């Protein structure tokens, strides 16, 4: 159990099953039409799992976010922080302003954000902590989690820099950076589930 960020293929995005995102897809398209924007219909199909292929995204939000939230407060405005880490659904196209939909509960709305708005905020934090180039570019199956659990600790002994001060913070910077990059590259939504 826990909270995951995962990419969603067309079948699940438009699906009406209990674990599908069809209701969200419909509500999002209705709101896009209301804003005179084209509907989001060009979602790629889910592909067969192939480690390291970059065709899927799956990461678990396990470490503490305390340091990451403090980093956001230092380098981002309150509004930017909310856009970067307040979304429930990340879409691969630009949104002038976030969209609020009743995704998880009828009692409150959840945010849909555009990856092109999230990406520069994540890049700003990656620059601030000097995130190393060795950070995995693809996150097919908890690749970032595993890298930060093992290789990052090793790398931190020889490659010093702000990123080594708090590996949990560096993990979340990389997580949001790679999620936005994946969404744009693959043209798919990423959901918090």
């Amino acid at each position: 159990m826990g909270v995951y960020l995962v990419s969603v293929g067309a079948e699940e995005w438009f699906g009406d099953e209990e674990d599908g995102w069809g209701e969200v897809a419909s509500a999002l398209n209705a709101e896009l039409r209301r804003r005179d924007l084209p509907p989001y219909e060009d979602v790629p199909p889910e592909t067969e799992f192939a480690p390291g292929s970059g065709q899927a995204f799956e990461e678990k939000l396990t470490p503490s976010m305390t340091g990451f939230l403090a980093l956001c407060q230092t380098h981002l405005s309150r509004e930017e922080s909310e856009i970067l880490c307040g979304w429930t659904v990340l879409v691969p196209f630009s949104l002038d302003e976030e969209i609020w939909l009743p995704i998880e509960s009828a009692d409150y709305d959840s945010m849909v954000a555009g990856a092109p708005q999230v990406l520069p905020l994540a890049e700003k934090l990656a620059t601030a902590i000097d995130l190393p180039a060795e950070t995995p570019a693809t996150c097919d199956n908890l690749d970032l989690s595993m890298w930060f659990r093992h290789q990052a600790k090793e790398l931190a002994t020889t490659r010093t820099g702000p990123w080594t001060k708090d590996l949990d913070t560096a993990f979340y910077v990389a997580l949001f950076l790679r999620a936005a990059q994946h969404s744009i590259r693959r043209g798919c939504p990423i959901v918090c589930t």
Side-chain angles (χ1 to χ4, degrees), residues 169-183:
T169 295
F171 166 79
Y172 282 108
V173 170
L175 175 71
F176 287 102
L177 176 67
R178 298 305 187 221
Q181 290 170 335
H182 181 89
S183 179

Side-chain angles (χ1 to χ4, degrees), residues 33-191:
R33 281 197 270 309
R34 193 186 71 70
R35 295 180 182 196
D36 293 324
L37 295 169
Y40 177 41
E41 295 174 340
D42 193 22
V43 180
E46 197 166 315
T47 58
E48 199 66 35
F49 176 71
S53 70
Q55 298 299 301
F57 188 96
E58 179 183 357
E59 286 294 337
K60 186 173 184 180
L61 282 65
T62 305
S64 167
M65 290 187 89
T66 305
F68 174 70
L69 296 175
L71 182 73
C72 289
Q73 282 183 330
T74 302
H75 294 279
L76 304 175
S77 70
R78 188 170 152 243
E79 181 183 71
E80 289 173 330
S81 294
E82 287 176 8
I83 291 169
L84 175 65
C85 45
W87 53 267
T88 301
V89 176
L90 188 65
V91 292
F93 52 87
S94 238
L95 292 172
D96 288 342
E97 61 181 279
E98 61 276 3
I99 293 174
W100 293 89
L101 299 173
I103 293 173
E104 295 174 343
S105 164
D107 297 331
Y108 66 92
D109 290 346
S110 296
M111 187 202 314
V112 178
Q117 283 69 46
V118 169
L119 182 59
L121 303 174
E123 288 173 335
K124 186 176 184 178
L125 295 183
T127 299
I129 66 165
D130 195 19
L131 190 70
E134 292 86 347
T135 305
T138 60
C139 309
D140 297 291
N141 186 18
L142 306 177
D143 294 336
L144 273 180
S145 299
M146 295 309 208
W147 190 82
F148 273 97
R149 207 171 289 149
H150 303 293
Q151 292 93 327
K153 289 178 182 176
E154 225 173 85
L155 183 63
T157 62
T158 57
R159 174 79 67 80
T160 57
W163 75 278
T164 63
K165 291 186 174 90
D166 182 351
L167 291 182
D168 288 351
T169 295
F171 166 79
Y172 282 108
V173 170
L175 175 71
F176 287 102
L177 176 67
R178 298 305 187 221
Q181 290 170 335
H182 181 89
S183 179
I184 292 167
R185 185 179 68 249
R186 288 275 297 137
C188 69
I190 293 186
V191 299

